[in-house]
């Protein structure tokens, strides 16, 4: 008898749960003012992602093609799955001093879990999350990106 009562209780609980979900679906169905879904990709030109959306790791550059990356390698060390490779080169300053500069900041998006450790731990605030999410490609190699742009340099005031 107890098993039958439990069985009926479970059925009742399932019907209540189903009704709860369908009630919300039904409300949006008959109330166009409350529509929360969007037609994609028809809205591609006007689509704006919300601020905290993590599409991909990027390195912002200013209008002079300058970034904040010193090539310190901290993001590479902190990335838990080896998605970042830092390649540096040596350069001579006008004063004849040899300095390390970033040659390539390589980002393997195919391995990235978007954990944000690289962005949060960069001491120069050189990384951020971009909002581009259309990264469907035919080869994994296409998901490897060089984040510092060609011909770019570090901003003068970044130490
Ligand atoms: S992005 Fe930041 S943490 Fe990574 S190498 Fe550049 S300055 Fe260092
Ligand atoms: S977001 Fe996380 S997984 Fe992706 S590159 Fe940065 S540290 Fe690595």
């Amino acid at each position: 008898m107890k098993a039958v009562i439990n069985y009926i209780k479970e059925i009742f609980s399932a019907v209540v749960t189903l009704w709860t979900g369908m009630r919300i679906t039904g409300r949006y169905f008959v109330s166009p003012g409350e529509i929360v879904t969007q037609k994609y990709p028809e809205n591609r030109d006007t689509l704006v992602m919300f601020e905290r959306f993590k599409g991909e790791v990027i390195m912002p550059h200013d209008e002079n093609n300058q970034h904040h990356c010193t090539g310190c390698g901290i993001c590479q060390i902190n990335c838990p799955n080896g998605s970042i490779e830092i390649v540096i080169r040596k350069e001579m300053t006008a004063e004849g001093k040899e300095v390390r500069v970033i040659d390539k900041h390589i980002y393997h998006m195919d391995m990235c879990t978007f954990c944000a450790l690289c962005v949060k731990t960069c001491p120069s605030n050189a990384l951020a999350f971009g909002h581009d999410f259309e990264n469907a490609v035919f080869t994994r190699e296409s998901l490897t990106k060089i984040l510092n742009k060609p011909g770019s340099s570090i901003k003068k005031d970044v130490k």
Side-chain angles (χ1 to χ4, degrees), residues 15 28 30 41 50 70 72 92 95 111 138:
V15 169
Y28 284 122
V30 297
F50 46 94
T70 61
C72 68
M92 296 297 279
E95 297 81 38
M111 298 196 290
F138 289 99

Side-chain angles (χ1 to χ4, degrees), residues 2 7 12 16-17 21 35-38 50 62 65-66 93 97 99 104 107 109 112 118-119 123 127 142 145 153 158:
K2 195 175 173 189
Y7 183 64
F12 181 73
V16 169
T17 307
I35 288 174
V36 292
T37 53
Q38 298 185 27
F50 46 94
D62 65 14
N65 202 20
Q66 292 187 315
T93 63
K97 195 176 152 196
V99 291
K104 287 187 184 129
Y107 170 47
M109 191 163 61
C112 179
C118 56
V119 176
L127 299 176
S142 308
K145 305 183 177 199
S153 60
V158 179

